[in-house]
Amino acid sequence: MGLALEMAGILLPVVLVGGIVLFVVLKMKHKYNKGTLDKKKSKSAQHLLDSLIPFGMMAGCIAAVLFSMFSRVSLLSIIALGAGIGLLFGYFAYEIYSKKEEKHS
């Protein structure tokens, strides 16, 4: 029984993050194939839009490292989960920001 729980503890983050990655990649591929990837008018707004997903992953890794300092969870497992959850939040931020209208000065 102990071996099964240990294997589940190892495989659960991999399966969870793998599902998140597949979801995000397939959604972005679908948008690319349809030609509906979002474009902003200004370069700075476009750079921000393109950087939201990597920023989400970095923020997730930072939060995971901070969380691992105060818990007994393995650092490697929690960093993988943090990056995967950050990827998901970055994708949602991408979707929200891409729908936002730019203000004209």
Side-chain angles (χ1 to χ4, degrees), residues 1 5 16 39 65 72 93:
M1 187 66 172
L5 286 176
L16 191 63
K39 298 288 181 195
V65 168
R72 299 176 67 175

Side-chain angles (χ1 to χ4, degrees), residues 4-5 7 10 16 26 35 42 46 51 58 63 81 100 103 105:
L5 286 176
M7 286 180 62
I10 292 169
L16 191 63
L26 290 177
S42 69
Q46 184 64 41
S51 300
M58 287 190 309
L81 280 173
K100 188 183 267 190
K103 292 182 180 180
S105 299

Side-chain angles (χ1 to χ4, degrees), residues 4-5 25 39 52 61-63 67:
L5 286 176
V25 168
K39 298 288 181 195
L52 285 173
C61 285
I62 292 169
F67 180 75

Side-chain angles (χ1 to χ4, degrees), residues 21-98:
V21 169
L22 277 175
F23 170 76
V24 171
V25 168
L26 290 177
K27 291 290 274 187
M28 294 299 283
K29 182 181 176 189
H30 180 71
K31 288 179 82 144
Y32 176 77
N33 287 340
K34 282 179 54 178
T36 59
L37 280 177
D38 301 304
K39 298 288 181 195
K40 293 290 185 176
K41 293 178 183 172
S42 69
K43 275 190 172 184
S44 62
Q46 184 64 41
H47 288 307
L48 177 63
L49 181 66
D50 294 338
S51 300
L52 285 173
I53 293 175
F55 283 154
M57 291 181 72
M58 287 190 309
C61 285
I62 292 169
V65 168
L66 292 174
F67 180 75
S68 72
M69 288 180 189
F70 304 108
S71 71
R72 299 176 67 175
V73 180
S74 166
L75 180 64
L76 188 60
S77 297
I78 201 72
I79 286 180
L81 280 173
I85 293 170
L87 175 71
L88 188 62
F89 285 149
Y91 173 73
F92 289 144
Y94 176 89
E95 288 293 326
I96 291 168
Y97 186 67
S98 65

